Amino acid sequence: MPGQKMPGWKGLAPALALVGAVALPGVFAPAVAAPVPAAAGSAFAADLARFEAGDATLDARALRFANRARLGGTIPEWDKAGEAWALLAKSPARALALADAEREADPLSLNALTLQEEALQRLGRGADAQVRHRQILILLRAITGGTDGASRERAWNVVSAAEKDTALVLLGYLVTGERIEREGDHVWALVTARPPVGEGASTIWISIDGLVPASA
């Protein structure tokens, strides 16, 4: 679980290539947010610089939600994810270029960060790959809050459907089902998944406030 050293995520290309082209059931595009004030933009840039440096003391949960607000209230889909992952084996430099371009649009894209790590390793840039690995861990800890997500009180949080699916893949879960739970102004995805260790499926509560309407 986050908070511990994560194993290298190998053999994930087929699953990660699909992330970014998925949608939660019943998703409606949120209203476009108001422009981010200049002061907020400056604070975001400062925190993003800390993230790029791999600063694990950063409030990455706040950074992720500020990123979504900066992007107008919704995270853009990475439409070249499949192409980028397919290029990894034969041309890691081209795959890296596509991941770099995606992170220009969404600097906190878990999928693009993971591809960057893999491509950098293949290009012999191990130190840069380790920075990407630290950044991925920072985001996973922010998503899970260091909990197992076994109840609404311990729910994970995501800013997009792609982030949810990528996090589950990276943490080693095999999703077998998913449904939506609503209460008042809050919405959760209840994901049934097989954990990376042990037997049997578990249910993970994931807050998806802002991704689906609170009322049916």
Side-chain angles (χ1 to χ4, degrees):
M1 291 296 295
Q4 302 174 339
K5 179 178 175 60
M6 288 290 297
W9 21 78
K10 304 300 181 184
L12 299 181
L16 288 172
L18 298 175
V19 174
V22 296
L24 290 165
V27 165
F28 291 84
V32 175
V36 178
S42 177
F44 174 83
D47 285 344
L48 183 60
R50 291 174 61 193
F51 175 77
E52 293 297 344
D55 184 352
T57 68
L58 172 72
D59 183 353
R61 186 185 191 283
L63 180 66
R64 289 164 47 247
F65 281 88
N67 184 51
R68 186 171 77 177
R70 180 187 67 88
L71 293 171
T74 185
I75 303 294
E77 177 182 308
W78 186 15
D79 57 356
K80 294 187 180 298
E83 177 186 351
W85 280 99
L87 283 169
L88 180 62
K90 291 185 177 180
S91 181
R94 291 174 61 195
L96 179 61
L98 288 175
D100 290 347
E102 170 59 14
R103 290 198 62 228
E104 286 293 324
D106 176 13
L108 303 182
S109 168
L110 261 180
N111 198 349
L113 280 162
T114 305
L115 181 51
Q116 283 182 324
E117 180 190 353
E118 294 286 347
L120 288 166
Q121 287 282 14
R122 290 170 186 250
L123 292 169
R125 296 168 56 184
D128 292 333
Q130 281 300 311
V131 174
R132 295 293 176 264
H133 196 83
R134 289 197 297 273
Q135 291 170 328
I136 293 166
L137 291 178
I138 288 168
L139 294 180
L140 290 175
R141 292 184 188 112
I143 290 166
T144 67
T147 77
D148 56 9
S151 67
R152 68 183 64 190
E153 293 77 20
R154 298 168 64 83
W156 298 358
N157 66 90
V158 294
V159 296
S160 69
E163 184 180 71
K164 170 183 65 70
D165 293 328
T166 306
L168 287 163
V169 169
L170 291 177
L171 291 169
Y173 286 93
L174 176 62
V175 175
T176 58
E178 183 173 337
R179 66 182 178 85
I180 300 298
E181 180 84 7
R182 296 178 174 86
E183 182 177 301
D185 294 331
H186 299 290
V187 190
W188 297 267
L190 270 64
V191 176
T192 304
R194 296 182 184 277
V197 294
E199 297 182 0
S202 59
T203 298
I204 305 168
W205 288 69
I206 304 177
S207 173
I208 53 173
D209 287 353
L211 300 185
V212 298
S215 56

